[in-house]
């Protein structure tokens, strides 16, 4: 009878230990899920910020090109003007 009681107490101790570990892991899992959700939200915000800054950068590049401050742009515009002049001359003939 004594061995049976010892086995029952041992089983009860193991069950309590398992239940305690289960509760701890359950709480830790909830915390990790919350952190994961928060990090995914931050990642989405960062992606949107990068996309926004990329669009702004592209607009600045276009504005800089239109500004005509670079020699390449001026040369391209002059070449286009010459082609337009040639077209006008051909149309007049």
């Amino acid at each position: 009878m004594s061995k049976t009681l010892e086995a029952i107490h041992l089983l009860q101790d193991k069950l309590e230990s398992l239940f305690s570990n289960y509760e701890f892991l359950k709480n830790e899992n909830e915390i990790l899920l919350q952190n994961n959700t928060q990090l995914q939200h931050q990642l989405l915000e960062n992606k949107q910020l990068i996309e926004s800054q990329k669009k702004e950068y592209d607009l600045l590049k276009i504005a800089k090109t239109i500004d005509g401050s670079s020699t390449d742009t001026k040369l391209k515009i002059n070449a286009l003007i010459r082609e337009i002049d040639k077209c006008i001359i051909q149309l007049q003939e």
Side-chain angles (χ1 to χ4, degrees):
M1 191 76 129
S2 157
K3 287 185 179 182
T4 307
L5 285 176
E6 285 179 27
I8 291 173
H9 286 297
L10 184 61
L11 181 61
Q12 185 178 6
D13 290 342
K14 286 183 180 182
L15 284 173
E16 287 175 1
S17 176
L18 283 173
F19 183 72
S20 175
N21 285 339
Y22 168 77
E23 288 297 322
F24 172 77
L25 291 174
K26 181 179 162 185
N27 290 334
E28 187 175 12
N29 189 37
E30 287 177 13
I31 291 169
L32 291 173
L33 286 173
Q34 289 174 354
N35 286 344
N36 186 23
T37 303
Q38 182 182 13
L39 289 173
Q40 285 179 347
H41 183 68
Q42 277 182 325
L43 180 63
L44 180 62
E45 286 178 355
N46 288 342
K47 283 182 179 180
Q48 290 173 346
L49 178 63
I50 288 171
E51 188 64 32
S52 170
Q53 289 178 343
K54 184 177 181 218
K55 286 179 183 178
E56 186 176 338
Y57 172 74
D58 289 341
L59 287 173
L60 287 173
K61 276 183 17 182
I62 292 170
K64 184 75 172 175
T65 302
I66 291 173
D67 183 28
S69 60
S70 73
T71 35
D72 289 340
T73 306
K74 289 180 182 178
L75 292 174
K76 288 178 185 177
I77 291 173
N78 287 337
L80 288 172
I81 290 172
R82 282 192 295 274
E83 286 182 36
I84 291 171
D85 286 342
K86 287 179 186 177
C87 290
I88 290 173
I89 291 171
Q90 288 178 355
L91 288 173
Q92 288 176 349
E93 292 178 354

